[in-house]
Amino acid sequence: QVQLVESGGGLVQAGGSLRLSCAVSGRTISTSTMGWFRQAPGKDRDFVAAIRFNTYYADSVKGRFTISRDNAKNTVYLQMNNLKPEDTAVYYCAADPALPNSSVRIPRAYDYWGQGTQVTVSS
């Protein structure tokens, strides 16, 4: 009965910003490992960012994206600034009860996934 519902995707021009939201029901995110991944057409699902007690970022988004959470709302966010065309992908929210730090970048380590939300960045 764990559900992850994503929102906030859309079309934005290069240099613009979007904030993705992932509302979680069925478990508390405050002690969970939460991750964001993305998958571009014809490519594998790649790690973007994660948070539990620490935050983790892919090198490609470091300094531009920020992962955060609102425990009261049981929602995790991905603030995306200075978007580039290469950021275009379907973005997925993922959750796991408690991943070790060494596993937070690995998609198959996560137990729960959202449906994905499309982010398209035009040049």
Side-chain angles (χ1 to χ4, degrees):
Q1 64 183 37
V2 176
Q3 292 186 330
L4 284 66
V5 180
E6 303 167 11
S7 61
L11 175 65
V12 65
Q13 290 184 310
S17 299
L18 286 172
R19 188 179 73 161
L20 306 183
S21 299
C22 176
V24 180
S25 61
R27 71 170 298 107
T28 299
I29 70 167
S30 62
T31 57
S32 299
T33 302
M34 303 296 303
W36 286 98
F37 295 80
R38 65 188 182 186
Q39 188 166 20
K43 297 184 178 180
D44 294 333
R45 189 167 299 186
D46 290 331
F47 170 76
V48 176
I51 185 171
R52 192 188 180 207
F53 304 124
N54 302 308
T55 56
Y56 309 81
Y57 295 96
D59 288 342
S60 59
V61 307
K62 194 171 298 182
R64 299 188 297 122
F65 292 10
T66 303
I67 188 170
S68 63
R69 64 180 174 229
D70 185 331
N71 291 334
K73 297 180 178 179
N74 220 43
T75 299
V76 64
Y77 304 95
L78 184 69
Q79 178 67 46
M80 305 185 294
N81 297 328
N82 192 24
L83 283 160
K84 303 175 180 180
E86 52 262 44
D87 295 319
T88 295
V90 177
Y91 282 71
Y92 297 90
C93 181
D96 192 88
L99 290 181
N101 293 343
S102 59
S103 298
V104 299
R105 296 174 175 85
I106 303 172
R108 66 179 182 271
Y110 289 78
D111 286 343
Y112 308 105
W113 291 85
Q115 80 287 354
T117 185
Q118 176 71 46
V119 172
T120 302
V121 184
S122 62
S123 60

